[in-house]
Amino acid sequence: MRRVSLEGQVAVVTGAARGVGELLARKLSARGAKVALVGLEPDALKEVSSRLHSESDHWHADVTDHEAMARVAREVKERFGKVDIVVANAGVATGGPFVDSDPESWRRVIEVNLIGSAVTARAFLPLLIESRGYLLQIASLAAITPAPMMTAYCASKSGVEAYAHSLRAEVGYRGVRVGVGYLSWTDTDMVRGADQDEVMRELRQRLPWPSNKTYPLGPAVDRLVEGIERRSTHVYGQWWLRGMQSVRGGLPGLIGTVGQREMRRFADRLTGMRTGLVGAGGAADEQQRTTRTTVRK
């Protein structure tokens, strides 16, 4: 599909305080889009908004909260008059052996990455139907291939991939296009946070090339922007991810065999691993939940 100019279009980006969301907001703004930033860190969102090239605003909201996201959708419509693009980017991660994982952190990964994406779409789809717009769901290499020590993240990203493909079939006849964005290990706070654990870092480095590298953020986000301009059904942040689609059927068996070997290698180092949410985004999510619990009490 030919590229569509972003000049004057209104884009909503969740998880916009840092990483993929922040840079994506900046690049969309540089192309003339008006940007609505959504996330859990109002001060960081305000700072991002102040540095954008075009008209923008920010909203503090938990993407898993139906009422909060419905309010955001209403207010974005009031503020900008329409919504043309929604990028469901908000996400968190945890790592470590499933048997020793923190149940609340494991559940939270599913809630934010999968349920939060659905809540985001539910809030904004009526506006996208009005504009015949585009929803980009950010998935991951983790949706294409499983990986040991990442059960929650792989489950959540496989879930959003399947959900987005299903949604595309439902809303396409109403003029809404739905895309899935795939990213490998990209230089963000989330990946750096995971790398702070020695076992997770070494395990990732032992993956086969090119999946064992950390890739720069800029080129990956440039590919996402191009996908948005083209209203693409599949967007690949790294060039080689497209090729993974053709071999994904055999990956679970391969990972099952190789993964067992690697887990045996690290077995005596797994005890005591931290299994909470990783990175600054994970810390912000945990702070949000702590504050909410305190208020309820």
Side-chain angles (χ1 to χ4, degrees):
M1 185 176 179
R2 65 179 179 83
R3 295 193 184 192
V4 176
S5 172
L6 300 180
E7 185 71 37
Q9 295 206 7
V10 177
V12 177
V13 181
T14 67
R18 60 172 49 81
V20 172
E22 176 192 5
L23 187 55
L24 181 60
R26 286 165 47 194
K27 288 181 179 290
L28 292 175
S29 175
R31 285 163 173 76
K34 303 173 184 180
V35 184
L37 309 166
V38 183
L40 292 178
E41 300 163 271
D43 292 341
L45 292 169
K46 182 178 180 180
E47 182 180 351
V48 173
S49 180
S50 70
R51 292 188 280 110
L52 297 186
H53 302 273
S54 61
E55 190 177 353
S56 66
D57 210 334
H58 64 282
W59 280 263
H60 172 259
D62 182 337
V63 294
T64 68
D65 186 329
H66 288 274
E67 292 183 1
M69 291 303 289
R71 170 185 57 80
V72 170
R74 289 194 303 271
E75 293 179 2
V76 171
K77 174 67 180 297
E78 291 169 2
R79 174 71 170 79
F80 295 110
K82 62 174 182 172
V83 172
D84 301 291
I85 301 158
V86 174
V87 183
N89 166 72
V92 293
T94 186
F98 173 74
V99 69
D100 298 321
S101 62
D102 171 49
E104 291 303 316
S105 296
W106 201 99
R107 179 187 293 271
R108 187 60 180 169
V109 173
I110 304 297
E111 289 175 347
V112 174
N113 298 2
L114 177 54
I115 306 302
S117 294
V119 170
T120 298
R122 189 182 300 277
F124 283 99
L125 267 174
L127 301 180
L128 291 177
I129 290 171
E130 287 180 8
S131 66
R132 300 178 70 84
Y134 178 67
L135 171 67
L136 178 62
Q137 173 62 58
I138 301 299
S140 169
L141 171 63
I144 298 175
T145 180
M149 311 272 278
M150 295 178 58
T151 53
Y153 194 74
C154 288
S156 69
K157 291 303 186 179
S158 295
V160 296
E161 180 193 42
Y163 145 77
H165 288 331
S166 296
L167 185 63
R168 180 185 304 119
E170 291 186 25
V171 300
Y173 81 99
R174 306 187 73 174
V176 179
R177 296 183 66 89
V178 177
V180 179
Y182 300 89
L183 296 170
S184 182
W185 305 96
T186 305
D187 188 19
T188 63
D189 285 325
M190 180 187 293
V191 172
R192 290 192 293 270
D195 276 353
Q196 289 178 2
D197 184 276
E198 183 178 324
V199 172
M200 291 294 294
R201 183 175 66 253
E202 290 186 27
L203 187 62
R204 183 163 72 84
Q205 290 171 345
R206 293 183 64 82
L207 293 172
W209 184 89
S211 61
N212 59 349
K213 294 178 56 180
T214 297
Y215 292 86
L217 182 60
V221 174
D222 285 338
R223 287 173 176 264
L224 295 181
V225 172
E226 181 179 347
I228 292 170
E229 290 174 329
R230 295 183 183 278
R231 302 298 197 258
S232 300
T233 56
H234 297 81
V235 186
Y236 300 100
Q238 287 79 30
W239 62 270
W240 54 271
L241 288 172
R242 183 185 302 273
M244 295 290 287
Q245 294 284 21
S246 63
V247 298
R248 64 187 298 173
L251 292 175
L254 176 63
I255 296 299
T257 300
V258 176
Q260 288 183 59
R261 183 193 67 201
E262 295 301 321
M263 291 301 293
R264 187 176 295 112
R265 181 192 302 272
F266 288 104
D268 61 348
R269 300 167 59 188
L270 300 179
T271 303
M273 284 187 64
R274 183 186 181 277
T275 59
L277 302 181
V278 301
D285 188 87
E286 290 180 340
Q287 178 62 42
Q288 169 82 3
R289 284 184 290 149
T290 300
T291 301
R292 184 182 299 169
T293 300
T294 302
V295 170
R296 286 175 179 170
K297 290 180 179 179

